[in-house]
Amino acid sequence: MIVRLFVRPPLIWQKCFGKSELANANKSKHACKHQESTVEVPVKEAMKKTMYQKIWDAHLVHQPEGSAALLYVDRHLMHEVTSPQAFEGLRIANRPVRNSHSILATMDHCVPTKVEERATLPDPIGKKQIEVMAQNCADNDINLYDMNSANNGVIHIVVPEHGFVHPGMVVCCGDSHTATHGAFGALAFGIGTSEVEHIMATQTIQQKQSKTMLVKVDGELSPFATAKDIVLAIIGKIGTAGGTGYVIEFAGSAIEALTMEGRMTVCNMAIEGGARAGLIAPDQKTIDFLKGKEFAPSEEHWDQAVDYWLSLKSDDGAEYDAVVELNAADIAPQVTWGTSPEQVLPVDAVLPEPSQINDLIKSQAAESALKYMGLKAGQKMTDVGVDVVFVGSCTNGRIEDFRAIAEVSKGKKVADGVQAIAVPGSYPVKAQAEAEGIDKVLIEAGWEWREPGCSMCLAMNGDYLQPEQRCASTSNRNFEGRQGKGGRTHLVSPAMAAAAAIEGKFVDLRSWK
Amino acid sequence: MEAYKKHSSVAAVMNRSNVDTDQIIPKQFLKKVERSGFGVHLFHDWRYLEDGSDNPEFELNRPEFKGAKILVAGDNFGCGSSREHAPWSIADYGFNTIISTSFADIFFNNCFKNGILPIKVDTDTLKALMDEVEANPGIEITVDLAAQQITTPGGQAISFDVDPFRKDTLLKGLDDIGWTLQFEDKISEYEVQHRQQLPWLWPSA
């Protein structure tokens, strides 16, 4: 049997988008329409599926006519900030938690990262939130890694450490950085508190299918560029709204070459490109990572699970609504200069002149960002000094991130006047780093070595910038006030952050001795 | 949830793009364990001066925009965190409608869960609407969700798209969980089959 369908070869997309920003891929898609060709292919070809489609199909519980689809949720992750009102809603409606085994909870946003404050919890409102979380989990038989648990840490660091998310799952959390778990080939996305309540009550989520975008990064990355630089470069290219309405699948030889930690960093920031989720096909690295973890499939089911995971990869020739390609060799160490993650440049670039930006909205945004950041058009990033350096967060709070900053800091000293803070993503990360002597190297160099938590990524826990303080941060958002009112955030990789700590200003790692 | 009715109301203009959830409701206000009372903190860092008094330069503090239920804002409104405190604070402040060219995904979803109608219009339409309000600050515009139309005193009649399912739930003020639980038998059936196919996902496996 033969069917007719449109074939949109990736090359055509690449030509259409070119090097320019993919501000609205959908519009570009229509603009490209004349280049589409109609060909005849066997019906089997028409059924080629993307990984997203496969996971969607496997989780579709019900699709009532004219309504949202109901998707089954395998894993529900939880922290103290976005859950209390959901439990309150369940209590008021007298609804039980449907599958408490599907939930893993931690405390991360509000927890202090100083030992003495962890014992006393000086912020009474934060303390209440932590207590309410403990009570809600106890009342509903939910597995909680509380502040004093040896497993405690940032939710998106803790969950992979225990193998709680597997390829092919649907995973939700009241946290936009849930996208992290796409690194395992799970469809993982952030939700609001109403949806947290909805999942607890029904184990499903109402969803509309997203469009799919393939972001292909081929070639070899420079030894000075990292997963963080890849994802910042992608956001620089597509813009913070470029992925809105899409699920992004990251592929290509440079993505395959990343460690699982690196893949988590890339997927973590899919949301910063506006996407609902990021996905990376499971491979041997994924399997090796999960093997033996607490919540990994048992021996009895292991082979069956692995076969299933490896079947999830997008079929060759599956169609995407948009395709973006980058050459890894072109990716320099990146630094954001503004108040949106799309305002990012290679470290050796000079800051843009707003009047020379054609798009009026982007030009105005650049002008106000430069003003807020206390920077001038034409200035070189490598001439910009820093006051604070923060290494941690669900983006870059894993063991390899601390290995990277230890390597840069070994035998050197943090510059005078710079406060450098290293916050492990979890107690297991902290223990591993200490077993490797990383804490000693960092403390010797002048870093503060803290307890785990979200810390200065969003500054809810007492770690925050003073107005106009400038921070090189390995976190994910450089919004106005994100790290403290008036604070100025520059997003970078861990190695770039560490080099900035040593020099007291941004440096180009490629030419730094 | 309150049903969304046709209404005429003051429209406030916020001509900024990429308004993020950290601005809508800064993190120091996320520690409450209740859903109510966030309106006073909406846009806190822009809205108040150091001494806690109103910042006269902030759009929403303009006397003409007092009591506005409709917010007309720039591109990519609501980007950033998943915090539902953002729509809670917007609703608690009094807005029930936001008009923009684009919204961030999670924020857009969260609006419907809280009786807020986010309306997407094209760039030219948004500009014309902003221009009319700026020229006559304090005018009331009418939003009719059932007819999917915005009308202005200046004679603009703007049709907009809305997902039929979301339209229906907003118009009826329906509770999402109650809606889904109509299909509880389907969920149970799915679970039996899912458990057979992927037994390792369950604790006994």
Side-chain angles (χ1 to χ4, degrees):
Chain A
M1 189 182 154
I2 300 290
V3 292
R4 247 165 226 284
L5 82 166
F6 286 119
V7 175
R8 304 185 188 97
L11 200 66
I12 289 178
W13 291 111
Q14 173 59 8
K15 277 183 189 155
C16 290
F17 295 134
K19 292 271 181 199
S20 66
E21 287 181 350
L22 185 70
N24 189 332
N26 210 21
K27 276 186 189 161
S28 305
K29 178 176 166 179
H30 293 301
C32 288
K33 218 160 188 173
H34 66 280
Q35 294 188 36
E36 289 168 349
S37 55
T38 307
V39 291
E40 293 188 344
V41 289
V43 69
K44 238 177 114 189
E45 298 276 300
M47 290 161 68
K48 285 177 171 171
K49 286 182 182 179
T50 60
M51 184 166 32
Y52 172 66
Q53 190 66 50
K54 290 181 189 183
I55 300 174
W56 175 279
D57 290 349
H59 289 82
L60 185 62
V61 171
H62 188 44
Q63 171 72 77
E65 187 76 29
S67 304
L70 282 182
L71 272 200
Y72 194 75
V73 177
D74 298 303
R75 293 289 185 256
H76 188 182
L77 320 178
M78 216 171 259
H79 62 71
E80 75 276 23
V81 176
T82 55
S83 63
Q85 293 88 352
F87 284 105
E88 186 195 17
L90 289 183
R91 270 193 297 273
I92 291 168
N94 198 24
R95 285 171 172 144
V97 174
R98 189 177 173 94
N99 285 342
S100 56
H101 80 266
S102 71
I103 306 174
L104 186 65
T106 186
M107 297 165 168
D108 53 10
H109 284 56
C110 289
V111 299
T113 55
K114 292 178 183 160
V115 177
E116 60 282 11
E117 288 180 8
R118 251 174 134 88
T120 57
L121 294 176
D123 171 7
I125 321 171
K127 184 175 180 212
K128 177 154 187 218
Q129 207 164 46
I130 284 168
E131 288 167 354
V132 167
M133 183 73 185
Q135 192 61 52
N136 283 332
C137 290
D139 291 349
N140 293 285
D141 196 22
I142 290 169
N143 190 5
L144 167 71
Y145 295 156
D146 75 19
M147 226 175 34
N148 302 313
S149 155
N151 292 334
N152 177 256
V154 179
I155 186 78
H156 306 307
I157 305 269
V158 160
V159 161
E161 282 173 342
H162 297 276
F164 193 63
V165 166
H166 311 166
M169 285 179 166
V170 169
V171 180
C172 292
C173 174
D175 191 287
S176 57
H177 293 109
T178 308
T180 309
H181 309 285
F184 292 84
L187 176 61
F189 52 93
I191 54 175
T193 300
S194 295
E195 291 173 313
V196 171
E197 185 182 337
H198 188 277
I199 294 171
M200 284 200 282
T202 72
Q203 209 57 38
T204 64
I205 186 154
Q206 298 175 1
Q207 282 289 288
K208 228 180 108 181
Q209 211 165 339
S210 300
K211 291 180 287 183
T212 52
M213 181 189 288
L214 176 67
V215 174
K216 208 158 173 284
V217 191
D218 280 311
E220 203 175 330
L221 203 58
S222 131
F224 302 103
T226 65
K228 182 65 164 284
D229 301 295
I230 292 179
V231 71
L232 285 172
I234 292 168
I235 294 164
K237 182 161 177 160
I238 69 172
T240 47
T244 303
Y246 289 89
V247 164
I248 296 179
E249 183 178 332
F250 298 100
S253 59
I255 301 292
E256 287 162 19
L258 293 174
T259 59
M260 287 311 295
E261 286 84 353
R263 294 178 188 182
M264 286 187 246
T265 300
V266 170
C267 288
N268 172 277
M269 288 189 73
I271 182 75
E272 262 47 77
R276 166 149 299 195
L279 277 173
I280 294 174
D283 61 8
Q284 194 57 43
K285 284 181 192 172
T286 323
I287 296 164
D288 293 345
F289 186 98
L290 288 169
K291 182 88 183 165
K293 296 272 195 294
E294 185 183 354
F295 296 105
S298 63
E299 275 301 320
E300 184 195 352
H301 294 112
W302 179 256
D303 291 344
Q304 193 191 347
V306 167
D307 286 347
Y308 175 64
W309 297 346
L310 293 175
S311 75
L312 294 164
K313 189 170 179 281
S314 291
D315 297 331
D316 286 341
E319 285 185 57
Y320 296 84
D321 296 292
V323 175
V324 176
E325 294 185 16
L326 279 86
N327 182 355
D330 294 344
I331 299 173
Q334 306 279 307
V335 185
T336 64
W337 54 268
T339 54
S340 165
E342 70 185 16
Q343 290 169 326
V344 63
L345 283 169
V347 64
D348 55 344
V350 296
L351 297 180
E353 172 57 62
S355 64
Q356 286 173 12
I357 299 175
N358 287 334
D359 181 321
L360 181 67
I361 292 168
K362 287 192 189 302
S363 167
Q364 284 170 346
E367 196 171 336
S368 83
L370 286 174
K371 188 175 165 208
Y372 178 85
M373 295 295 288
L375 297 170
K376 288 198 173 60
Q379 203 171 348
K380 282 167 76 175
M381 257 340 285
T382 47
D383 289 338
V384 176
V386 300
D387 306 302
V388 177
V389 174
F390 168 68
V391 174
S393 85
C394 59
T395 311
N396 282 121
R398 299 181 180 81
I399 187 64
E400 71 173 32
D401 301 315
F402 297 97
R403 287 180 187 141
I405 64 167
E407 196 184 318
V408 171
S409 304
K410 193 163 192 169
K412 300 193 173 76
K413 290 281 177 201
V414 169
D416 284 346
V418 172
Q419 183 188 20
I421 308 168
V423 183
S426 68
Y427 275 122
V429 169
K430 185 167 189 262
Q432 178 64 31
E434 289 173 357
E436 295 178 23
I438 287 172
D439 58 323
K440 290 198 182 64
V441 170
L442 294 178
I443 292 166
E444 179 65 23
W447 289 78
E448 295 174 31
W449 180 243
R450 298 280 187 91
E451 304 297 294
C454 298
S455 182
M456 207 185 269
C457 173
L458 85 167
M460 272 186 82
N461 74 330
D463 300 332
Y464 54 86
L465 297 177
Q466 298 298 325
E468 299 192 2
Q469 265 191 330
R470 188 178 301 285
C471 181
S473 178
T474 65
S475 55
N476 41 58
R477 291 197 173 123
N478 52 346
F479 297 158
E480 276 187 35
R482 170 81 177 181
Q483 295 192 293
K485 192 174 176 183
R488 295 162 170 169
T489 304
H490 296 272
L491 304 177
V492 287
S493 72
M496 284 286 287
I502 305 297
E503 286 294 330
K505 68 181 187 71
F506 290 102
V507 291
D508 188 340
L509 282 175
R510 295 168 299 182
S511 53
W512 188 55
K513 68 261 161 273
Chain B
M1 200 169 75
E2 207 178 312
Y4 189 100
K5 298 196 178 71
K6 178 179 173 180
H7 64 103
S8 298
S9 152
V10 171
V13 166
M14 206 166 177
N15 192 5
R16 311 180 189 225
S17 56
N18 294 321
V19 170
D20 61 70
T21 51
D22 277 83
Q23 291 310 326
I24 296 171
I25 182 82
K27 67 260 180 179
Q28 62 267 38
F29 306 113
L30 303 185
K31 294 177 189 169
K32 285 172 65 152
V33 293
E34 303 85 22
R35 260 176 208 252
S36 54
F38 288 97
V40 67
H41 307 304
L42 177 69
F43 294 118
H44 179 276
D45 290 358
W46 287 340
R47 183 170 156 195
Y48 301 110
L49 297 172
E50 285 298 326
D51 64 3
S53 62
D54 285 357
N55 174 4
E57 289 178 14
F58 180 58
E59 299 91 310
L60 299 189
N61 287 334
R62 291 169 62 176
E64 311 92 285
F65 292 161
K66 278 269 171 309
K69 282 190 188 309
I70 300 165
L71 181 62
V72 187
D75 295 344
N76 197 27
F77 190 87
C79 59
S81 121
S82 67
R83 61 188 70 160
E84 199 161 319
H85 311 69
W88 292 338
S89 61
I90 287 170
D92 193 47
Y93 180 89
F95 290 117
N96 69 358
T97 310
I98 310 172
I99 305 171
S100 175
T101 50
S102 58
F103 296 88
D105 188 43
I106 302 175
F107 177 82
F108 187 75
N109 277 328
N110 282 340
C111 282
F112 289 98
K113 315 278 179 202
N114 291 282
I116 301 168
L117 172 63
I119 301 175
K120 287 184 212 170
V121 295
D122 63 37
T123 310
D124 293 341
T125 306
L126 186 78
K127 186 171 185 308
L129 199 55
M130 280 188 175
D131 287 350
E132 185 178 337
V133 176
E134 284 293 4
N136 316 277
I139 53 166
E140 289 195 350
I141 66 177
T142 303
V143 179
D144 185 345
L145 172 58
Q148 296 179 215
Q149 197 167 59
I150 304 165
T151 46
T152 69
Q156 298 190 54
I158 303 157
S159 297
F160 60 86
D161 286 334
V162 59
D163 179 84
F165 170 64
R166 284 173 155 159
K167 175 180 174 177
D168 191 50
T169 53
L170 264 191
L171 285 172
K172 293 179 181 157
L174 276 184
D175 165 3
D176 272 358
I177 297 178
W179 183 87
T180 297
L181 287 176
Q182 305 172 70
F183 306 110
E184 200 180 357
D185 55 335
K186 304 257 183 217
I187 299 171
S188 298
E189 271 169 41
Y190 177 88
E191 275 179 337
V192 169
Q193 166 225 324
H194 196 49
R195 191 169 187 154
Q196 278 167 0
Q197 285 171 346
L198 310 175
W200 59 87
L201 296 187
W202 269 263
S204 56

